Amino acid sequence: MTHRRILVVDDPDALAEAALRYIVARAQQALAVRGAFAIALAGGSTPREVYRRLAHAPWRDTLPWAQTLVFWSDERAVPLDSPDSNYRMAREALLDHVPVPPEQIHPMISQDVDLEQAAARYETLLRRLVPGQPPRFDLILLGMGPDGHTASLFPHTPALEATTRLVVATPQAPRPPQVRRLTFTPTLINAAAEVLVLVAGADKAARVREVLQGPPRPQALPAQVIAPEAGDLWWMLDRAAASQLAAIHD
Ligand code: 6PG
């Protein structure tokens, strides 16, 4: 059963700091339990601020970089050096500044032009490098868009139904950048030990309420499908994003 918890903090600054404390604690726990830390990064502006801080002291020195394996929970079908690439964003904000061994950084898209092939290849890689059946990430980071999408699971799209696959290629995304995507499926996300969803900003407040306190409509609100089966789910929100929530009893 999912253990869902919601943390509300004052502003985006406090949100980034709370996320960092959580990430470091998860990394240390994974290191103690199994000697390695597998994390999946998200795209988006909220995670970006977390990466930027993690790249510098004091946070930079708190992660076991030599034992950390870095993956992505979704990616846009663009070249690795495109400003729209989630890989490039994480590289520039974080990975270029920390001593993580390059061979432990696993972008979703390399030279592949065939996205289906890229999805299958990533799935095989995950099965090899992340223990568990399905692979159980120590931590998956996610954001949520104003339409309720998370990773690249957009409302009313086939990826939401992909029960046997771990990674799928999607049709062109309905939101910018309007390109095809690769995304973790709900099956893979919900196998994780910990999932952290980061949301900031008043423009998401109505959606946050619908997702967390409204009736289940997972096709319309993909973020509702996130429910790790034997793991912890944290929603971390700034006060603006949480402003339409009724009192929280989670
Ligand atoms: C993507 C992202 C996406 C993102 C949300 C929230 O590649 O599009 O992974 O799922 O996390 O859209 O983004 P913001 O934090 O920028 O609002």
Side-chain angles (χ1 to χ4, degrees):
M1 212 188 73
T2 305
H3 187 191
R4 184 182 82 177
R5 282 171 292 182
I6 301 172
L7 177 73
V8 180
V9 297
D10 277 344
D11 52 27
D13 241 37
L15 185 62
E17 294 290 309
L20 285 162
R21 279 194 294 278
Y22 179 77
I23 293 168
V24 169
R26 298 285 66 80
Q28 283 164 356
Q29 189 185 27
L31 195 66
V33 171
R34 66 178 199 89
F37 177 52
I39 182 171
L41 304 179
S45 52
T46 320
R48 184 174 176 282
E49 182 52 28
V50 175
Y51 307 156
R52 217 183 48 75
R53 290 173 191 231
L54 190 52
H56 301 285
W59 290 109
R60 179 194 144 103
D61 309 319
T62 56
L63 231 70
W65 296 111
Q67 291 84 20
T68 296
L69 282 78
V70 181
F71 301 86
W72 275 260
S73 50
D74 76 323
E75 185 55 279
R76 294 92 179 260
V78 295
L80 288 177
D81 59 355
S82 159
D84 286 330
S85 159
N86 284 343
Y87 167 79
R88 175 174 165 181
M89 184 276 270
R91 176 117 248 154
E92 289 182 347
L94 172 65
L95 301 168
D96 281 346
H97 313 283
V98 295
V100 60
E103 65 277 13
Q104 289 168 209
I105 299 174
H106 301 285
M108 289 184 119
I109 292 177
S110 44
Q111 300 312 320
D112 300 286
V113 273
D114 183 331
L115 269 202
E116 270 74 24
Q117 233 175 60
R121 199 170 300 165
Y122 211 61
E123 187 165 322
T124 305
L125 182 80
L126 293 177
R127 289 194 194 278
R128 186 158 60 80
L129 296 181
V130 182
Q133 181 64 273
R136 181 169 167 82
F137 269 89
D138 298 300
L139 177 58
I140 296 180
L141 296 183
L142 296 172
M144 186 188 79
D147 59 348
H149 86 265
T150 188
S152 281
L153 299 167
F154 289 93
H156 306 289
T157 55
L160 286 165
E161 311 283 1
T163 50
T164 54
R165 299 290 308 277
L166 305 179
V167 180
V168 294
T170 75
Q172 181 179 314
R175 299 182 60 81
Q178 287 177 296
V179 294
R180 299 188 66 198
R181 313 279 187 106
L182 287 180
T183 185
F184 280 14
T185 62
T187 303
L188 178 57
I189 296 172
N190 289 338
E194 310 270 348
V195 177
L196 171 58
V197 189
L198 291 172
V199 189
D203 57 320
K204 302 204 179 145
R207 205 62 81 191
V208 164
R209 183 192 168 101
E210 281 186 300
V211 167
L212 294 180
Q213 296 180 331
R217 293 188 298 132
Q219 284 293 328
L221 300 169
Q224 281 188 337
V225 307
I226 306 309
E229 272 146 38
D232 281 349
L233 170 60
W234 269 98
W235 279 77
M236 292 192 188
L237 313 168
D238 73 347
R239 207 161 286 290
S243 58
Q244 294 194 27
L245 286 179
I248 297 166
H249 301 293
D250 295 75

